[in-house]
Amino acid sequence: MMAAQSKLLYQLNKYVQEKCQSRKSAIAKTIREVCKVVQDVLKEVEVQEPRFISSLCEVDGRFDGLEVLSPTEFEVVLYLNQMGVFNFVDDGTIPGCAVLKLSDGRKRSMSLWVEFITASGYLSARKIRSRFQTLVAQACDKCSYRDIVKMIPDTSEVKLRIRERYVVQITTAFRCQGVWPRSASHWPMPQIGWPGPNLVAEVKAEGFDLLSKECYALQGKQSSMESDAWVLCFNQAEDKLLLGGCRRRCLSILKTLRDRHLDLPGNPLNSYHMKTMVLYECEKHPREIDWDETCLGDRLNGILLQLISCLQCRKCPHYFLPNVDLFHGKAPSALENAAKQTWRLAREILTNPKSLEKL
């Protein structure tokens, strides 16, 4: 048993050094190319409308606010200023979303975003996105990269196509630090024992983002109230939870396997599904010793089996917001196909670790 485990560990470490590292290097190169263009577009937007200040900048070799969705798809979060005159209302009416309501006694004119406040006093995510979309479209025509960047039409999201190869979504957002949403108040489950109280305090202090984007749980049936709502996003909090042990290494292997073998028709799986699976595995194995480098094979196997189960049940609850299904809107046939492919991968890795050389 130990011999089989050490064989698997050897092959997994080799896989990380060869396949995962080359994926990382290729993506890092793409990010530099893409961010140059996006920064130029946002600079042009800021000239037209100083309230939209570009927050995309490089910190310690990483671009703050950039998420890699796949090797050719990225999301850039543009943080807006002055949320202060609004109250954050999160009553669970709209799963995965919250609204920003003008505080009692505050006049509209006190807000930097006065023309985006609805008659009922809500700051409309949709109105801000619509204005931003117009500005970005104009900026694409004016910026120095206009020959290689185009707006993607027929969507309410702000999406750019760069060099006909890459897609970048730019999402306006507010950063909410030092508060924690009511819809995630059940976390962490006391009986699980992970994460420890210090890490919980850090994660809650990190807070979350409110994004102006279409809420996938409501696509096709949005009332005006719902389209004014903001989508809750916990990227920074999740990243904090994945520090330590072999968690990040495990996620890196899963993302690489996804890009190479599970990039399937209907896009049933993305890197965020993989991240979510790792978080659930952390709860199943709360002891730090279970995330020692030597346990990498066991953890990976557990995650792939859990992923197959989710795909077969056609349900993948968001880690912090269990009422939000990350498979919502995915075709059952695409999920079924992904389950079969994931099972094929898991079986191959478990029965023949050497197969990783070809995966």
Side-chain angles (χ1 to χ4, degrees):
M1 182 63 189
M2 284 308 286
Q5 257 188 333
S6 60
K7 259 186 215 166
L8 177 56
L9 187 60
Y10 169 76
Q11 291 295 346
L12 284 171
N13 284 330
K14 199 171 156 196
Y15 191 81
V16 168
Q17 284 155 15
E18 291 170 9
K19 312 278 173 51
C20 298
Q21 284 307 329
S22 74
R23 173 189 178 271
K24 256 187 183 159
S25 311
I27 288 175
K29 197 173 162 216
T30 303
I31 286 173
R32 297 212 159 275
E33 190 182 339
V34 157
C35 284
K36 248 191 270 178
V37 178
V38 175
Q39 282 173 323
D40 199 55
V41 169
L42 291 176
K43 199 170 70 189
E44 200 57 55
V45 167
E46 202 178 320
V47 169
Q48 298 174 64
E49 173 54 274
R51 286 179 297 182
F52 292 106
I53 300 164
S54 174
S55 53
L56 180 65
C57 55
E58 200 175 349
V59 183
D60 299 332
R62 285 187 57 142
F63 282 90
D64 200 25
L66 180 129
E67 283 294 314
V68 178
L69 308 178
S70 84
T72 57
E73 292 172 279
F74 306 89
E75 182 171 18
V76 168
V77 174
L78 181 82
Y79 292 108
L80 307 175
N81 289 325
Q82 285 201 9
M83 195 185 100
V85 298
F86 297 97
N87 280 334
F88 167 72
V89 183
D90 160 40
D91 57 7
T93 315
I94 312 161
C97 297
V99 291
L100 291 172
K101 195 170 190 335
L102 203 58
S103 309
D104 293 341
R106 296 288 191 139
K107 293 191 175 72
R108 286 159 195 276
S109 57
M110 294 166 84
S111 168
L112 185 66
W113 308 100
V114 59
E115 72 271 42
F116 305 110
I117 301 171
T118 65
S120 330
Y122 294 103
L123 180 64
S124 170
R126 179 182 45 87
K127 286 183 177 179
I128 285 188
R129 188 165 69 246
S130 171
R131 172 78 180 126
F132 183 60
Q133 191 176 40
T134 306
L135 292 167
V136 172
Q138 291 165 359
C140 284
D141 293 338
K142 288 182 181 174
C143 76
S144 46
Y145 292 99
R146 55 188 169 274
D147 296 338
I148 58 162
V149 63
K150 298 281 173 281
M151 277 281 279
I152 296 178
D154 308 321
T155 169
S156 80
E157 308 286 17
V158 180
K159 286 189 177 183
L160 306 179
R161 183 170 278 115
I162 298 171
R163 293 194 195 280
E164 292 299 327
R165 268 206 309 275
Y166 309 116
V167 173
V168 183
Q169 179 166 332
I170 309 176
T171 305
T172 48
F174 285 106
R175 185 92 190 94
C176 304
Q177 283 178 303
V179 280
W180 193 248
R182 203 159 80 180
S183 46
S185 60
H186 64 282
W187 181 87
M189 300 286 202
Q191 70 277 21
I192 285 169
W194 182 86
N198 291 350
L199 185 52
V200 169
E202 272 180 53
V203 165
K204 289 191 172 182
E206 188 66 51
F208 55 96
D209 292 342
L210 289 175
L211 307 181
S212 167
K213 66 198 292 188
E214 277 187 23
C215 180
Y216 42 82
L218 295 160
Q219 274 163 357
K221 54 174 186 182
Q222 287 187 303
S223 70
S224 62
M225 166 75 175
E226 285 154 351
S227 61
D228 292 333
W230 297 75
V231 176
L232 294 158
C233 169
F234 297 85
N235 277 336
Q236 279 100 326
E238 289 156 357
D239 289 344
K240 219 175 235 312
L241 285 173
L242 293 178
L243 295 173
C246 64
R247 292 176 179 88
R248 300 242 33 123
R249 182 170 276 234
C250 200
L251 180 57
S252 188
I253 293 169
L254 288 161
K255 285 179 177 178
T256 308
L257 288 170
R258 182 259 161 217
D259 292 349
R260 293 168 74 95
H261 304 281
L262 299 169
D263 189 4
L264 302 165
N267 193 26
L269 291 173
N270 58 35
S271 58
Y272 191 69
H273 293 117
M274 299 306 184
K275 190 186 198 184
T276 303
M277 289 293 123
V278 178
L279 289 165
Y280 281 122
E281 187 74 4
C282 289
E283 287 196 342
K284 277 191 198 160
H285 298 276
R287 298 180 315 158
E288 214 48 42
I289 194 169
D290 293 330
W291 289 91
D292 186 79
E293 296 296 332
T294 54
C295 300
L296 185 59
D298 290 342
R299 296 294 73 81
L300 186 70
N301 186 37
I303 292 166
L304 289 173
L305 293 176
Q306 181 61 56
L307 179 58
I308 293 162
S309 171
C310 288
L311 287 162
Q312 287 173 335
C313 299
R314 298 174 191 169
K315 197 168 175 58
C316 178
H318 186 288
Y319 178 66
F320 285 114
L321 308 167
N323 288 343
V324 174
D325 178 14
L326 299 177
F327 285 159
H328 181 87
K330 304 284 183 191
S333 58
L335 296 173
E336 205 173 305
N337 181 30
K340 284 178 185 158
Q341 296 299 331
T342 308
W343 173 243
R344 185 185 62 77
L345 273 178
R347 194 179 54 210
E348 221 165 312
I349 292 167
L350 199 62
T351 57
N352 176 21
K354 214 165 161 49
S355 67
L356 278 157
E357 291 176 3
K358 296 188 185 72
L359 289 177

